[in-house]
Amino acid sequence: MIVITLQREKCIGCNYCVEVAPQQFQMSKKDGKTVLLRAVNNKGFHTLKSPDYTILEACEQAEKICPVHIINVKEV
């Protein structure tokens, strides 16, 4: 299982995560911040739990490239 967490409120809208993992991230037209698709929001932490390991590499790239370090990817 892969767990991806996004602290959306701290997003600066750089779009890097969308460029490397467009299947998981999208930019909001409302506020210009990233959205973690199919995630559940819990007190500002948007979390997606997925059994699909094909998304792991792209999400790990998004985690590394994020300049404000608001993306966390782990295997559980």
Side-chain angles (χ1 to χ4, degrees), residues 2-76:
I2 300 167
V3 179
I4 305 160
T5 305
L6 169 72
Q7 295 178 53
R8 190 171 185 279
E9 289 73 24
K10 295 181 180 181
C11 179
I12 61 171
C14 69
N15 201 47
Y16 293 156
C17 58
V18 177
E19 290 177 18
V20 296
Q23 297 83 7
Q24 298 311 128
F25 297 95
Q26 185 176 26
M27 295 307 288
S28 170
K29 291 182 179 173
K30 278 185 181 178
D31 61 7
K33 294 183 178 192
T34 193
V35 175
L36 177 57
L37 302 175
R38 297 177 300 280
V40 175
N41 181 9
N42 184 11
K43 298 179 183 177
F45 289 87
H46 299 257
T47 305
L48 170 67
K49 294 179 181 178
S50 176
D52 182 5
Y53 277 82
T54 63
I55 67 171
L56 180 61
E57 185 178 341
C59 290
E60 286 178 334
Q61 279 187 304
E63 177 183 26
K64 290 176 187 171
I65 202 169
C66 179
V68 288
H69 309 290
I70 60 169
I71 300 170
N72 183 275
V73 179
K74 62 182 175 182
E75 293 181 67
V76 292

